[in-house]
Amino acid sequence: MLDFRPPLDNPLLIGFARSFRSFVLAGKMKNAEILVLGDGIERFKQFKGKHCMVCPNHSHRHDPEVMFILSCLVGEEFNFIAAREVFDWNNGWNGWFLQHMGCYSVVRGAVDRESFKMTKHLLVEGKKKLVLFPEGEISRQNDVLLPLESGAAQLSFMALDELHKTKPEEPLYILPVAIKYTYKNDLTSVLEDLIEKVETKLGIKNSGETSLYKRVRAASEVILKTLEEEYDLKSSAEADLNSRIMGLKSHILKTMADVMHVSLPATGSHLDCVRVLRNTLDDFIYADEEELPPYQKKIHEEKAEKIKAFYRDLDRVVRFIAIYDGYLSPPITQERMISVLELIETEIFGEAKIKGPRRVLITVGKPLNLLDHFAEYKKNKKAVIENLRSDMSEQLFAMLTEVDKQRESVYVS
């Protein structure tokens, strides 16, 4: 079973990291420049000392580092919630570092009481702002927002309920933050080199085609055909690319559900199904085995090891969950082209490399004061949580869209 990892905030380590944050930008983030747009820093500072959960979109693996830099820019320290499995990376050293930087774990989709209790405690205490990524998955796309989970609003109201007992007039806020990654330079030559490597790996001979769009589309069709064969899926000869992509994702999810004897939501999206299956996997793999006799424990561990491979399938579905035919319709920004190429790169090579120096743009949204909704929440919890989830989603999407109007985009063929 995955044991809870609490935050072990180490002032010396946090202070060291804040002092040398330029090395994070230069090293791990490859010379990224982080800019908070408009009066975002000043508006953020207005909520210093307030009970507040900060909810950014989650398009890239470097989002936690970006939020750490934001904490430096606004002169505060944050706590972070992270998926429990990341604490075991690098033989546990990743977890040691995360905990001492103020992070704590949650088993996604499970009733993780210790994690919920910590979330409530930190929000009620209000000494630091708490960062939670409400999408629950990395979207891997700059201008796409996955459907938000309800956990941010739900946990915040739990904390407000506790806070209300002693300080009935004290507000608690959810603050949306939009993060958008852009590139400082024209990276056409870099992308041409990458698509050439992809074509070589896929056995595609370039006939002299110069359009990046056509070459990426051809590579995508080869990958799709290969995966259809891998998962024993026969698509109709008349099916268009969209139908085949949707059919493959549905087929992968249904196959997993059948093996695991799980009923998927009849009207749910692919992401809803991913969440159900991931939660089921977590529940089984990390079940408490201490009470089992030795033989039964051995059998459980063998099955758990076998079905861990399903995580790869779920990650594959999530990677392509927002891709559709027409996603790269002209005019194509290089960021959008890069997001698709990075999905292909990850699928083929196992990881995607940063293409060049980035400019990360941050927009601070309008805070949602849960105290304004508390009376209605006591009457109809589900409806109020859904409304707040919807408000947060609309804000984040609007902010991501607005950023494009404030910059000069680079387009590719």
Side-chain angles (χ1 to χ4, degrees):
M1 183 178 184
L2 283 178
D3 54 314
F4 174 64
R5 298 298 177 88
L8 302 172
D9 307 38
N10 185 315
L12 287 177
L13 182 62
I14 294 171
F16 179 83
R18 292 169 72 85
S19 298
F20 291 92
R21 61 184 180 273
S22 58
F23 289 95
V24 176
L25 294 173
K28 190 170 185 180
M29 296 188 66
K30 308 297 183 186
N31 297 311
E33 176 189 3
I34 296 182
L35 297 175
V36 181
L37 300 180
D39 62 347
I41 290 179
E42 289 71 23
R43 286 191 294 112
F44 200 103
K45 286 182 176 180
Q46 291 176 7
F47 294 89
K48 189 166 187 175
K50 306 288 186 183
H51 307 270
C52 185
M53 179 183 282
V54 183
C55 291
N57 63 302
H58 202 6
S59 66
H60 199 277
R61 68 181 186 275
H62 285 155
D63 292 337
E65 286 85 352
V66 170
M67 292 304 297
F68 173 73
I69 300 298
L70 177 62
S71 76
C72 299
L73 294 175
V74 299
E76 294 191 49
E77 292 181 10
F78 298 162
N79 286 115
F80 292 79
I81 304 176
R84 172 60 185 82
E85 59 267 24
V86 306
F87 288 77
D88 291 332
W89 294 353
N90 300 324
N91 295 316
W93 283 106
N94 196 60
W96 182 92
F97 179 78
L98 289 177
Q99 284 182 268
H100 288 82
M101 287 294 292
C103 303
Y104 64 98
S105 68
V106 64
V107 178
R108 291 179 294 186
V111 182
D112 192 338
R113 291 183 175 83
E114 290 301 314
S115 183
F116 296 169
K117 191 188 303 181
M118 180 58 67
T119 299
K120 185 165 68 171
H121 167 72
L122 292 174
L123 286 173
V124 171
E125 188 179 50
K127 290 182 179 179
K128 295 183 181 181
K129 289 184 175 59
L130 178 61
V131 177
L132 180 150
F133 295 99
E135 287 170 278
E137 303 276 355
I138 301 177
S139 70
R140 294 176 175 83
Q141 295 183 62
N142 247 336
D143 47 5
V144 170
L145 190 70
L146 297 177
L148 306 188
E149 295 184 330
S150 60
Q154 204 163 9
L155 291 168
S156 296
F157 269 119
M158 286 168 55
L160 182 61
D161 204 3
E162 184 68 24
L163 183 64
H164 195 74
K165 295 174 183 176
T166 54
K167 299 178 180 178
E169 302 303 320
E170 191 83 9
L172 191 151
Y173 300 94
I174 289 179
L175 183 60
V177 170
I179 304 172
K180 189 148 195 169
Y181 294 81
T182 65
Y183 286 85
K184 299 180 182 181
N185 307 319
D186 187 329
L187 298 174
T188 301
S189 62
V190 176
L191 301 185
E192 288 172 342
D193 288 344
L194 175 57
I195 191 62
E196 188 173 333
K197 291 176 183 175
V198 166
E199 288 168 340
T200 300
K201 196 75 171 177
L202 293 174
I204 299 174
K205 293 184 179 179
N206 185 12
S207 59
E209 178 60 64
T210 58
S211 167
L212 269 173
Y213 165 72
K214 290 181 179 179
R215 294 172 73 182
V216 168
R217 184 182 176 95
S220 301
E221 289 179 344
V222 172
I223 291 171
L224 181 58
K225 184 174 185 299
T226 304
L227 290 177
E228 286 173 336
E229 292 172 355
E230 168 68 19
Y231 289 99
D232 297 320
L233 175 64
K234 292 181 172 60
S235 61
S236 166
E238 295 79 29
D240 59 23
L241 199 60
N242 265 346
S243 299
R244 290 172 64 195
I245 292 171
M246 295 291 285
L248 178 62
K249 288 186 286 194
S250 296
H251 180 74
I252 292 173
L253 294 169
K254 184 179 184 304
T255 300
M256 289 181 62
D258 290 344
V259 171
M260 297 167 62
H261 307 292
V262 174
S263 297
L264 297 177
T267 58
S269 66
H270 284 137
L271 187 58
D272 291 330
C273 296
V274 166
R275 286 168 175 163
V276 168
L277 289 168
R278 195 187 295 281
N279 295 345
T280 304
L281 277 174
D282 288 346
D283 285 346
F284 182 84
I285 291 170
Y286 303 116
D288 191 350
E289 306 170 2
E290 297 306 315
E291 301 301 319
L292 292 177
Y295 177 71
Q296 284 87 334
K297 184 177 180 180
K298 174 178 175 291
I299 295 299
H300 180 276
E301 289 174 350
E302 288 174 356
K303 184 176 180 180
E305 199 59 37
K306 188 183 299 183
I307 66 173
K308 279 181 182 178
F310 283 156
Y311 283 122
R312 178 204 62 188
D313 300 303
L314 288 178
D315 289 341
R316 178 171 280 144
V317 172
V318 171
R319 274 201 299 273
F320 291 93
I321 214 157
I323 291 293
Y324 54 89
D325 191 20
Y327 180 77
L328 289 182
S329 296
I332 308 167
T333 64
Q334 72 173 2
E335 284 82 15
R336 186 167 272 219
M337 177 64 80
I338 286 170
S339 69
V340 173
L341 265 172
E342 286 185 342
L343 293 175
I344 293 173
E345 189 179 9
T346 303
E347 177 65 31
I348 294 176
F349 300 106
E351 64 174 348
K353 297 179 180 178
I354 296 171
K355 306 299 175 285
R358 294 172 297 176
R359 183 173 288 117
V360 186
L361 307 176
I362 299 176
T363 308
V364 178
K366 179 183 177 183
L368 304 170
N369 186 349
L370 272 63
L371 190 60
D372 294 341
H373 308 274
F374 191 59
E376 185 61 29
Y377 167 78
K378 301 297 281 186
K379 299 176 186 175
N380 192 341
K381 294 181 179 179
K382 187 175 180 179
V384 172
I385 287 172
E386 174 57 28
N387 287 339
L388 278 173
R389 188 195 63 81
S390 178
D391 288 349
M392 198 180 354
S393 181
E394 288 175 8
Q395 263 207 71
L396 286 170
F397 184 76
M399 287 190 287
L400 291 172
T401 303
E402 183 63 27
V403 168
D404 278 332
K405 300 176 182 178
Q406 301 181 35
R407 69 186 186 95
E408 188 173 339
S409 298
V410 175
Y411 296 96
V412 297
S413 63

